[in-house]
Amino acid sequence: EDQVTQSPEALRLQEGESSSLNCSYTVSGLRGLFWYRQDPGKGPEFLFTLYSAGEEKEKERLKATLTKKESFLHITAPKPEDSATYLCAASTGTASKLTFGTGTRLQVTL
Amino acid sequence: EAQVTQNPRYLITVTGKKLTVTCSQNMNHEYMSWYRQDPGLGLRQIYYSMNVEVTDKGDVPEGYKVSRKEKRNFPLILESPSPNQTSLYFCASKLSRNTEAFFGQGTRLTVV
């Protein structure tokens, strides 16, 4: 059974305090690893896709990396507007089904 | 504007009363899916569709039905809702197998 585990469950940072979120996965036939951001009461919003180990993608203060067993979302000098729940999902199978982790709830304070 | 639109956004209903949640996308996407999101369990796939008239079960299909008669629409049907189907539901679509999914705004369903 495909499994995606995210840690920590919740993270509180001060503005400017960099950190990393972890997503470990045990799946058969990874087609892609996706990161999403979800704000309260809204649908997940796409951030990154990573397809192979060693791949990195960057957008503003966020950088996603991928190894054969896990992915990291690095947040550099976060701002309060980065506060959200960050979800990762592994895509597998012929229809590329998404298996989601339960998310990391990030709060960035002034 | 490219989007996935779900209706209604909020719904309170009684046990056993059939309901339909609509989902429409304007991006000409092949793939569409329904998910439910519950605290501590994350997003779980209910059903998905790879094309018109092609649907298949996800991880938690019991108690749900879907149909895909047109490319843009993918309604979720609860024939006889029960309280354990109280949840936040999301519809999603994607262009092809390995591209990113776009999600709707969600439908918060309460079954009493």
Side-chain angles (χ1 to χ4, degrees), chain A residues 4-11 13 19-23 33-40 44-48 59-64 71-76 78-89 100-108, chain B residues 37 42-43:
Chain A
V4 176
T5 304
Q6 291 188 247
S7 62
E9 206 171 295
L11 181 62
L13 299 173
S19 188
S20 295
L21 313 183
N22 177 263
C23 169
L33 192 291
F34 294 80
W35 282 97
Y36 286 86
R37 169 190 170 127
Q38 186 175 25
D39 293 299
E45 180 186 331
F46 171 73
L47 292 173
F48 303 108
K59 179 180 173 181
E60 295 180 1
R61 296 177 291 282
L62 300 177
K63 179 179 171 181
S71 178
F72 293 92
L73 185 66
H74 308 279
I75 303 177
T76 302
K79 298 182 177 182
E81 52 262 42
D82 294 322
S83 298
T85 295
Y86 291 85
L87 303 170
C88 77
F100 280 86
T102 50
T104 293
R105 194 168 62 254
L106 174 66
Q107 184 181 12
V108 182
Chain B
Q37 187 172 36
L43 279 153

Side-chain angles (χ1 to χ4, degrees), chain B residues 52-92:
Chain B
V52 175
E53 302 293 1
V54 180
T55 63
D56 209 344
K57 296 176 182 178
D59 295 320
V60 287
E62 294 77 23
Y64 304 94
K65 280 177 61 177
V66 293
S67 69
R68 187 101 181 267
K69 292 183 168 45
E70 305 166 279
K71 197 173 188 178
R72 63 183 292 127
N73 296 323
F74 191 44
L76 178 70
I77 302 155
L78 284 72
E79 296 265 1
S80 182
S82 61
N84 64 11
Q85 292 178 297
T86 292
S87 186
L88 180 58
Y89 291 86
F90 289 101
C91 179

Side-chain angles (χ1 to χ4, degrees), chain A residues 8-70:
Chain A
E9 206 171 295
L11 181 62
R12 187 178 171 126
L13 299 173
Q14 285 200 314
E15 186 175 13
E17 181 186 0
S18 302
S19 188
S20 295
L21 313 183
N22 177 263
C23 169
S24 64
Y25 60 91
T26 308
V27 301
S28 50
L30 181 74
R31 293 191 178 278
L33 192 291
F34 294 80
W35 282 97
Y36 286 86
R37 169 190 170 127
Q38 186 175 25
D39 293 299
K42 295 192 173 181
E45 180 186 331
F46 171 73
L47 292 173
F48 303 108
T49 312
L50 301 164
Y51 291 107
S52 55
E55 192 175 356
E56 297 182 354
K57 289 210 176 147
E58 217 164 328
K59 179 180 173 181
E60 295 180 1
R61 296 177 291 282
L62 300 177
K63 179 179 171 181
T65 61
L66 182 66
T67 72
K68 288 187 178 178
K69 292 183 179 178
E70 55 194 352

Side-chain angles (χ1 to χ4, degrees), chain A residues 36 38 43 51 94 96-97, chain B residues 37 45 59 94 97-98 101:
Chain A
Y36 286 86
Q38 186 175 25
Y51 291 107
T94 52
S96 292
K97 187 191 100 163
Chain B
Q37 187 172 36
Q45 190 180 63
D59 295 320
K94 58 184 182 180
R97 200 166 61 178
N98 291 328

